[in-house]
């Protein structure tokens, strides 16, 4: 089903809150998914390569550069939403085997019904907790892991620890990479600790964010790319600079972390709550 008949706003109560699906006023086949008022995903059914949110474009740019164009990937997505990135990979890398873990079963059904997946996309969705599912996976099973899990607008504490990061490193193949969406605001204590935590398991890393976020001037998204081998920093820098909303690539993560210690399970906390005004212009 490449296109969907235009419809009005859809609302459904799911396990994690109230899900809303809003038609995009500028694109006839596009929709924004919100959970309790926070934008979670944007999908264009006719063009899955159209990525509305800047942090999603940064994640996609990393995925584009991690393997030759069109090469299928074994991809694991932790956090589903409206399956924006899995749809993108199915389009840009046909034949990719993709697995999605999403804890909210009613949300999965709502998305599948309202925003059908492409017929030939090899995307399997499993309802479950991201950490519990990863702990049961075999070693080196994936070329790519995308971590973008939020309960409401916060990443759960048990997904922010070094113990979990080591599990992610275990299930990545030797040349594989982890792409993580981190949200934080001034003074970036959470982001700095998360960078230290991820690098304790996957030391070769960089991050991309808006310059104002990196300077601690506003709340926003920071995308970290980490692996057993170095990420393609030159290509990432070019893509970040050429985006609709240019981002900045940071490679000196020792300096960025500022001496922050890796977070362990015993002290892990959820990511900070976004300011109430953050989502005013996101939809």
């Amino acid at each position: 089903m490449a296109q969907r008949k235009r419809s009005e706003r859809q609302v459904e109560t799911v396990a994690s809150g109230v899900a809303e699906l809003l038609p995009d006023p500028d694109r006839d086949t596009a929709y924004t998914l919100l959970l309790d008022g926070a934008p979670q995903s944007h999908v264009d059914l006719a063009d899955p390569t159209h990525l509305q949110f800047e942090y999603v474009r940064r994640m996609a740019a990393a995925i584009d550069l991690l393997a030759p164009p069109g090469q299928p990937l074994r991809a694991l997505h932790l956090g589903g939403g409206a399956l924006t990135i899995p749809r993108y990979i199915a389009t840009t890398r046909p034949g990719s085997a993709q697995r999605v873990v999403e804890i909210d079963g009613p949300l999965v059904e709502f998305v599948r019904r309202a925003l059908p997946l492409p017929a030939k996309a090899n995307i399997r969705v499993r309802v479950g907790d991201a950490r519990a599912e990863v702990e049961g996976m075999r070693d080196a099973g994936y070329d790519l892991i995308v971590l973008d899990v939020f309960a409401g607008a916060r990443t759960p504490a048990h997904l922010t620890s070094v113990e979990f990061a080591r599990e992610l490193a275990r299930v990545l193949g030797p040349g594989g990479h982890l792409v993580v969406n981190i949200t934080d605001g001034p003074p970036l204590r959470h982001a700095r600790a998360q960078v230290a935590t991820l690098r304790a398991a996957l030391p070769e890393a960089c991050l991309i964010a808006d310059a104002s976020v990196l300077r601690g001037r506003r709340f926003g998204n920071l995308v970290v790319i980490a692996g057993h081998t170095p990420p393609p920093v030159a290509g990432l820098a070019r893509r970040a600079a050429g985006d609709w909303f240019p981002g900045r690539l940071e490679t000196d993560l020792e300096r960025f972390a500022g001496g922050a210690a890796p977070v362990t399970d015993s002290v892990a906390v959820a990511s900070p709550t976004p300011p109430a005004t953050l989502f005013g212009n996101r939809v």
Side-chain angles (χ1 to χ4, degrees):
M1 184 174 179
Q3 297 189 7
R4 174 185 174 82
K5 184 179 179 180
R6 200 69 176 158
S7 61
E8 297 302 318
R9 168 176 172 264
Q10 298 180 61
V11 181
E12 188 162 318
T13 300
V14 296
S16 53
V18 176
E20 300 175 73
L21 199 61
L22 304 180
D24 186 327
D26 299 317
R27 301 179 71 90
D28 288 344
T29 55
Y31 301 82
T32 299
L33 173 69
L34 297 89
L35 280 175
D36 288 339
Q40 297 289 320
S41 306
H42 181 278
V43 169
D44 189 329
L45 294 176
D47 181 10
T49 66
H50 175 80
L51 304 174
Q52 187 77 10
F53 296 163
E54 62 269 19
Y55 82 90
V56 177
R57 292 195 299 276
R58 289 167 187 159
M59 298 174 90
I63 294 166
D64 288 347
L65 295 168
L66 293 178
Q71 178 178 303
L73 294 174
R74 300 171 300 163
L76 171 64
H77 305 267
L78 302 175
L83 308 174
T84 304
I85 292 290
R87 296 171 197 265
Y88 178 83
I89 292 176
T91 301
T92 59
R93 297 181 178 275
S96 293
Q98 300 190 76
R99 182 175 183 180
V100 179
V101 178
E102 168 59 56
I103 199 168
D104 191 330
L107 176 63
V108 170
E109 293 307 311
F110 177 53
V111 168
R112 279 176 162 163
R113 183 174 65 252
L115 303 173
L117 289 169
K120 295 182 180 180
N122 182 11
I123 301 171
R124 295 183 298 140
V125 182
R126 183 177 182 86
V127 176
D129 175 76
R131 181 160 175 175
E133 293 296 326
V134 168
E135 289 173 346
M137 293 176 183
R138 63 185 175 89
D139 293 0
Y142 293 97
D143 308 309
L144 168 70
I145 300 176
V146 178
L147 176 58
D148 191 13
V149 178
F150 287 85
R154 305 179 72 188
T155 301
H158 70 299
L159 305 182
T160 67
S161 72
V162 70
E163 289 89 346
F164 179 55
R166 288 173 180 149
E167 285 294 306
L168 296 174
R170 178 184 63 79
V171 302
L172 267 182
H177 284 82
L178 170 69
V179 179
V180 185
N181 178 31
I182 297 171
T183 57
D184 199 9
L188 296 179
R189 290 194 187 94
H190 174 73
R192 297 183 199 281
Q194 284 305 288
V195 164
T197 300
L198 293 168
R199 291 185 69 237
L202 294 164
E204 301 287 351
C206 65
L207 70 82
I208 307 168
D210 184 273
S212 63
V213 174
L214 284 174
R215 291 169 183 156
R217 293 179 180 173
R218 69 174 181 88
F219 195 99
N221 301 83
L222 303 94
V223 173
V224 175
I225 302 98
H228 302 290
T229 58
V233 294
L236 288 168
R238 287 193 297 271
R239 291 285 293 265
D243 189 68
W244 309 339
F245 296 97
R248 196 178 92 190
L249 181 77
E250 179 63 66
T251 57
D252 187 355
L253 298 191
E254 193 74 31
R255 182 193 63 79
F256 176 82
V263 176
T264 62
D265 279 335
S266 62
V267 296
V269 295
S271 64
T273 302
T277 58
L278 179 67
F279 303 119
N281 296 315
R282 288 292 298 273
V283 182

